[in-house]
Amino acid sequence: MDHFEKDLVDALKDIVKAGNWQCVGDKSKFKSPCTKFYSDDGEHIVLVHTEDDKFWAMDSSCPHEGGPLEQGDIEDLGNGKLALICPWHYFDFSLETGSSSSGLQNQVYDVRVLDGKVYINTQSTLSLCPIPVTKITHKGSLPMELNSSENTLCAWATKILHTPDPQEKVSLTKMVQENWNSGKITETGEANPPAHPYRKDNLTVVEPGKIKRGKGGTLASRIALLHSLANIEQWAIDLSWDVIARFSTFRLSSGEPLPHQFFDDFVKVAGDEAKHYQLLEQRIMELGSFFGALPVHNGLWQSATDTSHDILARLAIVHMVHEARGLDVHPQTLSRFASQGDTSSVKVLEVIYADEITHVAAGLRWFTYICSHEGRDSLKTFHELVKLHFKGFLKPPFNTEGRKTAGMTEEWYVPLVKPSSLQKTS
């Protein structure tokens, strides 16, 4: 009988080896509820061990905005079915099917336990250790030179987008802002911005869900959160210059170009974002670190890529969804630093918050301007564009006061919230 059992186990092992089943280790090693496995193709997996001694597996990156599901909680949704909850925006994902009540769908993988070992059915090579990440590189990534005859706003915008060093990017932004406001730069001009802004080659870039943002409870956690914000501000500088350069030739249905004030507004936004990056970088250094000491992600630029063909979509998604979301998370972020007595960081965050309200207002102002001049219903157009270009529903809680100050009343965003979420917050 023992010989028969051994032959059976050996046969099963051969079947496993011939298929896509991959042994990830002894069952006894996986006592924690969630264990992250790094994949050679970048699609990392979280192995879930539930209290009833069952194993489940799914992609570790939330399909909404890349939240780290391996840091999430396991909850019973009330029907006997267990779900993994994303720690960022609390989306639920069924362990069995990967489906979410939000309408999103996550990839799940079959898991088997055989002879005391855990197997996951995947073609990817899995490892408990991080696989070396790639770095953004650009051949010939030295800043482009401008001829004296190319002293236009768009030419300078494109130069800044080609500038990989964030400090130089900040300096150029401030210089161009001053020259535009003083009249030393008078022409908007035309230019072809790069598909992707340049970054320093020594910057470690990972997927959005792999960033440890921290909750502000320790010094290291506060540095991680400030570092994440600094990365966002660097992208925000580029987003401002990109909307200037990319849509400088945009014409209304009447054939009219965008007015001078449009470019005034986004030059100011670029200058504000440069100031924010500088304040955050200085604060990170005061806390004993530096920008680039931690990994960063380029997820925010995906929205720019997705909306590069449509100025209304760009204004809606980047300025009226993402930047408005920044207003929503501000109170909680501020309280995390305040609770630790980090008044210097609090002052920086308060400056950023006040400016970001004006950025949301700028996006809203020019969105409604274009819609009104083209005979479109602003609210209807906004709702259609968000549903088209933004994954999932908008998630409460909302900073209604901050949004209202920016001119964004509830009629703009409440219709984009899942009805069940409204019931929970009412």
Side-chain angles (χ1 to χ4, degrees):
M1 181 64 70
D2 290 342
H3 178 72
F4 174 78
E5 290 180 353
K6 182 179 184 302
D7 287 344
L8 178 60
V9 170
D10 290 341
L12 289 173
K13 287 181 177 179
D14 289 339
I15 293 174
V16 168
K17 186 175 181 180
N20 292 326
W21 291 94
Q22 184 175 165
C23 179
V24 294
D26 293 333
K27 174 184 174 182
S28 59
K29 293 182 178 179
F30 305 114
K31 296 180 181 180
S32 299
C34 295
T35 303
K36 180 177 179 179
F37 284 94
Y38 296 87
S39 171
D40 58 347
D41 64 0
E43 296 294 333
H44 309 315
I45 291 175
V46 55
L47 177 68
V48 179
H49 188 188
T50 53
E51 292 182 353
D52 58 0
D53 203 30
K54 292 183 179 179
F55 286 88
W56 314 83
M58 66 174 62
D59 283 345
S60 66
S61 181
C62 175
H64 176 225
E65 289 186 353
L69 293 181
E70 72 276 3
Q71 298 178 21
D73 295 326
I74 301 168
E75 293 185 6
D76 188 330
L77 298 181
N79 54 3
K81 301 294 185 180
L82 298 178
L84 187 56
I85 311 299
C86 177
W88 282 10
H89 302 112
Y90 308 106
F91 284 102
D92 57 89
F93 295 95
S94 166
L95 295 181
E96 185 176 351
T97 66
S99 62
S100 171
S101 62
S102 66
L104 296 175
Q105 178 68 46
N106 200 16
Q107 176 67 46
V108 294
Y109 303 86
D110 289 333
V111 183
R112 297 287 184 271
V113 178
L114 175 66
D115 198 23
K117 296 185 182 297
V118 179
Y119 294 81
I120 300 178
N121 192 0
T122 173
Q123 296 180 352
S124 304
T125 299
L126 301 179
S127 171
L128 285 169
C129 300
I131 297 172
V133 297
T134 58
K135 301 176 185 294
I136 289 182
T137 57
H138 293 284
K139 294 182 179 179
S141 60
L142 292 175
M144 56 181 286
E145 297 296 328
L146 291 179
N147 297 325
S148 58
S149 61
E150 295 179 322
N151 186 37
T152 67
L153 186 63
C154 286
W156 281 109
T158 304
K159 177 180 175 65
I160 293 169
L161 289 165
H162 279 87
T163 301
D165 184 88
Q167 294 178 344
E168 186 176 357
K169 189 185 296 286
V170 167
S171 297
L172 283 173
T173 294
K174 290 184 173 182
M175 182 270 289
V176 174
Q177 181 183 23
E178 180 180 346
N179 288 349
W180 175 258
N181 291 339
S182 66
K184 293 181 180 178
I185 300 175
T186 58
E187 298 294 327
T188 302
E190 298 180 14
N192 293 317
H196 196 292
Y198 284 24
R199 289 293 181 268
K200 294 183 70 173
D201 291 345
N202 63 351
L203 205 59
T204 301
V205 182
V206 299
E207 295 177 20
K210 312 307 177 285
I211 298 295
K212 300 290 186 181
R213 299 190 184 193
K215 296 183 178 180
T218 64
L219 174 60
S221 182
R222 296 202 305 277
I223 290 174
L225 185 50
L226 292 170
H227 193 279
S228 178
L229 293 174
N231 178 56
I232 291 173
E233 295 296 343
Q234 186 180 5
W235 285 112
I237 298 171
D238 289 321
L239 284 166
S240 303
W241 289 119
D242 185 81
V243 77
I244 287 172
R246 192 168 302 279
F247 298 107
S248 64
T249 58
F250 172 79
R251 296 294 182 269
L252 298 167
S253 55
S254 63
E256 297 177 46
L258 290 168
H260 193 279
Q261 291 84 354
F262 173 88
F263 300 99
D264 287 344
D265 276 356
F266 283 98
V267 168
K268 177 188 179 299
V269 172
D272 288 345
E273 309 293 17
K275 176 181 66 177
H276 299 167
Y277 174 84
Q278 202 166 35
L279 288 171
L280 288 165
E281 182 187 43
Q282 180 181 349
R283 184 61 188 144
I284 292 169
M285 293 177 67
E286 290 171 353
L287 293 175
S289 188
F290 61 93
F291 184 73
L294 300 173
V296 298
H297 70 83
N298 56 10
L300 191 59
W301 193 254
Q302 185 60 49
S303 294
T305 301
D306 294 343
T307 59
S308 61
H309 65 290
D310 186 344
I311 189 172
L312 284 175
R314 171 66 66 86
L315 294 170
I317 301 302
V318 171
H319 299 284
M320 299 169 68
V321 172
H322 288 311
E323 289 208 85
R325 184 58 183 165
L327 303 184
D328 297 336
V329 301
H330 170 77
Q332 184 180 23
T333 304
L334 195 72
S335 67
R336 289 174 177 173
F337 286 90
S339 65
Q340 299 299 313
D342 191 344
T343 56
S344 295
S345 295
V346 166
K347 290 178 181 178
V348 170
L349 295 175
E350 287 176 337
V351 170
I352 293 174
Y353 176 70
D355 288 338
E356 294 297 343
I357 288 178
T358 68
H359 300 174
V360 176
L364 177 63
R365 176 165 54 255
W366 292 107
F367 184 91
T368 55
Y369 175 91
I370 294 172
C371 285
S372 65
H373 280 70
E374 296 194 339
R376 302 191 190 195
D377 184 306
S378 297
L379 283 172
K380 181 181 179 182
T381 302
F382 176 69
H383 295 156
E384 290 174 347
L385 289 171
V386 173
K387 291 175 182 177
L388 181 63
H389 294 288
F390 185 78
K391 294 180 180 179
F393 297 93
L394 299 189
K395 297 284 289 183
F398 298 110
N399 183 346
T400 54
E401 182 180 351
R403 284 172 174 258
K404 186 177 180 180
T405 303
M408 183 174 280
T409 50
E410 291 187 348
E411 60 185 347
W412 286 95
Y413 54 90
V414 168
L416 297 169
V417 178
K418 189 175 181 182
S420 58
S421 298
L422 286 176
Q423 294 172 4
K424 293 177 182 178
T425 57
S426 61

